[in-house]
């Protein structure tokens, strides 16, 4: 009997060894100096899924800084927005949120309808807003990135890379730090329903400050995560996870290696990393949603069992939730002035001088860039020397 069980186990392991496995893009950055602590296929073109919403947010922050919209601008759910595939806000056609609440619902719940509603509010229509997204990507030097929609629903032409996502995330943190609490929020309450983030590090990995997750079949499970502990600040990008467990555990493991010194600088900064021009974007659909999915997930679990039942986990902290409460303004007429009811715990965003965050100028620690481009994010000065 014991021999038979061992034989079954050996045969099972042999079958798993024949299943397809992938070493997908992973990137770890020290946010204080932009040093690369780990890089694996960082320039490989990849479908961003809902990590697209990082750029949707950045363009929105730019427009707020320019005074073209405000946090109290009404965002109305059009029929076009309502018809987007899930995940969604649950709002009806014609319902409205303030732009501030819309940003929370978009970034925390990853609501595809609200992403389009924001794009239509700011750009006039979705296509015009997508043009603004691609303009921002070009100014940032995101050479692997191209957008066709503001929410990340799959389009073969919508691509990015781990390197580009890291730089975009650093831009958000440098130019618009007042909005970082949105990325670190684990839940939004809207019409009595709690809309939870898929970033489980926020509630189970101490020091997590954001930022975003994403999933479509073609991308697998993606994540950008930022963590601050003991004076260190880490940013991890994980693309193509076979499950939420794998994505979350790999991000936490990578960050721990940075925090403990197990991962050391490789001599490059994220700004010096190259993309892979001409490379074909990876399509994970057959392995994630196709007939090969069961074998692929089993193989990935065998290769990386962290967090499975009976296995150790990096996600063992308990962090009390602090949900944000959004207000459904109902059906409103465009252009009216809106009173803004706010629960007592709602953060107040104080924006810097409007043009300061957009100006192209050389400042201490800034990477020189050609005229007409956006300066790279600035590493924090090293005061230890």
């Amino acid at each position: 009997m014991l021999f038979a069980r061992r034989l079954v186990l050996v045969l099972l392991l042999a079958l798993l060894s024949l299943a397809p496995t992938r070493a997908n893009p992973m990137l770890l950055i020290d946010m204080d100096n932009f040093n690369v602590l780990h890089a694996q296929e960082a320039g490989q073109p990849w479908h961003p899924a809902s990590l697209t919403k990082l750029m949707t947010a950045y363009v929105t922050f730019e427009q707020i800084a320019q005074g073209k919209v405000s946090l109290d601008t009404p965002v109305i759910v059009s029929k076009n927005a309502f018809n987007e595939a899930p995940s969604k806000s649950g709002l009806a056609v014609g319902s409205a949120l303030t732009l501030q609440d819309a940003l929370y619902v978009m970034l925390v719940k990853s609501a595809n309808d609200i992403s389009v509603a924001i794009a239509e509010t700011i750009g006039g229509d979705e296509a015009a807003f997508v043009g603004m997204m691609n303009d921002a990507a070009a100014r940032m030097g995101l050479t692997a990135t191209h957008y066709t929609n503001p929410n990340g629903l799959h389009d073969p032409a919508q691509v990015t890379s781990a390197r580009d996502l890291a730089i975009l995330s650093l831009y958000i943190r440098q130019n618009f730090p007042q909005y970082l609490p949105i990325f670190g929020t684990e839940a939004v309450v809207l019409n009595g329903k709690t809309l939870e983030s898929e970033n489980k590090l926020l509630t189970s990995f101490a020091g997590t400050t954001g930022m975003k997750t994403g999933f479509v079949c073609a991308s697998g499970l993606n994540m950008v995560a930022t963590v601050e502990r003991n004076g260190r600040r880490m940013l991890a990008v994980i693309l193509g996870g076979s499950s939420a467990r794998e994505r979350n555990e790999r991000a936490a493991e990578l960050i721990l290696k940075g925090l403990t010194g197990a991962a050391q600088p490789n001599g490059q900064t994220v700004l010096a990393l190259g993309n892979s021009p001409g490379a074909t974007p990876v399509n994970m659909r057959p392995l994630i949603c196709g007939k090969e999915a069961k074998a692929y997930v089993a193989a990935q679990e065998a290769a990386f069992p962290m967090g499975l039942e009976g296995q150790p986990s990096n996600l063992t902290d308990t962090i009390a939730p602090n949900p944000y409460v959004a207000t459904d303004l109902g059906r409103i007429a465009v252009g009216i002035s809106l009173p803004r009811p706010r629960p007592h715990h709602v953060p107040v965003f104080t924006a810097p001088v409007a043009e300061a965050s957009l100006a192209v100028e050389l400042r201490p620690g800034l990477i020189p860039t050609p005229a007409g481009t956006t300066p790279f994010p600035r590493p924090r000065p090293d005061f230890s020397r």
Side-chain angles (χ1 to χ4, degrees):
M1 188 68 172
L2 180 59
F3 174 78
R5 287 179 179 176
R6 287 178 176 174
L7 180 60
V8 170
L9 179 60
V10 169
L11 291 173
L12 178 60
L13 291 174
L15 287 172
L16 288 177
S17 70
L18 296 175
T21 58
R22 280 197 55 86
N24 293 329
M26 297 196 297
L27 184 59
L28 179 65
I29 305 298
D30 185 328
M31 291 192 289
D32 287 333
N33 49 36
F34 301 167
N35 284 339
V36 176
L37 306 182
H38 180 90
Q40 176 177 293
E41 296 192 36
Q44 169 64 44
W46 208 267
H47 299 298
S50 283
L51 299 188
T52 296
K53 296 179 176 85
L54 292 171
M55 181 59 83
T56 302
Y58 186 89
V59 171
T60 301
F61 299 156
E62 282 195 326
Q63 297 303 298
I64 294 171
Q66 292 180 13
K68 296 181 180 178
V69 290
S70 76
L71 289 170
D72 284 325
T73 295
V75 174
I76 300 173
V77 178
S78 67
K79 185 176 181 180
N80 178 51
F82 177 82
N83 286 336
E84 292 295 287
S87 63
K88 298 169 71 171
S89 67
L91 293 176
V93 175
S95 294
L97 302 168
T98 63
L99 182 54
Q100 175 171 313
D101 285 4
L103 284 165
Y104 269 95
V105 174
M106 177 183 76
L107 292 170
V108 177
K109 174 58 178 174
S110 203
N112 294 322
D113 54 344
I114 299 303
S115 301
V116 170
I118 289 173
E120 292 172 338
T121 298
I122 291 174
D125 58 50
E126 187 176 352
F129 186 86
V130 170
M132 297 163 70
M133 295 170 68
N134 285 315
D135 172 70
R139 287 187 278 120
M140 293 179 186
L142 309 186
T143 57
T145 297
H146 178 74
Y147 298 105
T148 62
N149 64 57
N151 54 27
L153 286 172
H154 183 56
D155 185 313
Q158 184 131 313
V159 294
T160 190
S161 70
R163 177 259 187 197
D164 284 6
L165 287 165
I167 291 176
L168 169 57
S169 300
L170 290 169
Y171 267 114
I172 292 171
R173 294 180 64 86
Q174 172 186 282
N175 289 354
F176 301 107
Q178 68 270 31
Y179 301 114
L180 293 181
I182 304 177
F183 298 93
T185 301
E186 72 284 347
V188 171
V189 177
L190 177 63
N191 290 334
K193 295 181 179 180
T194 301
L195 311 176
E196 295 183 344
S197 170
E198 292 299 322
N199 182 356
K200 300 310 178 186
L201 273 67
L202 289 168
T203 54
S204 59
F205 193 72
T208 301
T209 56
M211 291 187 66
K212 190 73 187 73
T213 63
F215 165 75
V216 291
C217 291
S219 73
L221 288 97
N222 299 339
M223 168 178 274
V224 174
T226 56
V227 172
E228 300 182 15
R229 284 193 197 178
N230 302 323
R232 302 289 305 282
R233 305 191 311 158
M234 298 289 147
L235 182 151
V237 182
I238 305 290
L239 302 180
S242 64
S243 65
R245 174 209 59 91
E246 182 190 2
R247 171 186 66 189
N248 296 337
E249 291 282 358
R250 284 196 184 276
E253 181 179 76
L254 201 58
I255 289 166
L256 283 173
K257 288 180 178 179
L259 293 170
T260 61
Q264 289 291 314
N266 71 357
Q268 285 184 301
T269 70
V270 65
L271 305 178
L273 283 178
N275 282 314
S276 302
T280 302
V282 172
N283 185 353
M284 296 290 289
R285 176 176 286 276
L287 299 178
I288 300 297
C289 301
K291 61 182 181 181
E292 301 173 48
K294 186 174 181 180
Y296 177 69
V297 171
Q300 294 297 100
E301 289 180 347
F304 185 74
M306 186 72 70
L308 292 171
E309 185 176 355
Q311 297 292 329
S313 172
N314 295 310
L315 308 177
T316 58
D317 300 315
T318 300
I319 302 164
N322 184 29
Y324 176 89
V325 179
T327 302
D328 179 356
L329 298 171
R331 297 179 182 232
I332 65 171
V334 177
I336 68 170
S337 178
L338 295 173
R340 178 62 178 136
R342 290 191 181 278
H344 71 279
H345 64 279
V346 171
V348 176
F349 297 114
T350 54
V353 177
E355 296 302 322
S357 61
L358 305 176
V360 179
E361 60 184 82
L362 301 181
R363 288 171 279 170
L366 197 62
I367 305 298
T369 55
T373 64
T374 299
F376 279 119
R378 304 180 305 281
R380 292 174 70 182
D382 182 0
F383 295 110
S384 63
R385 289 186 267 178

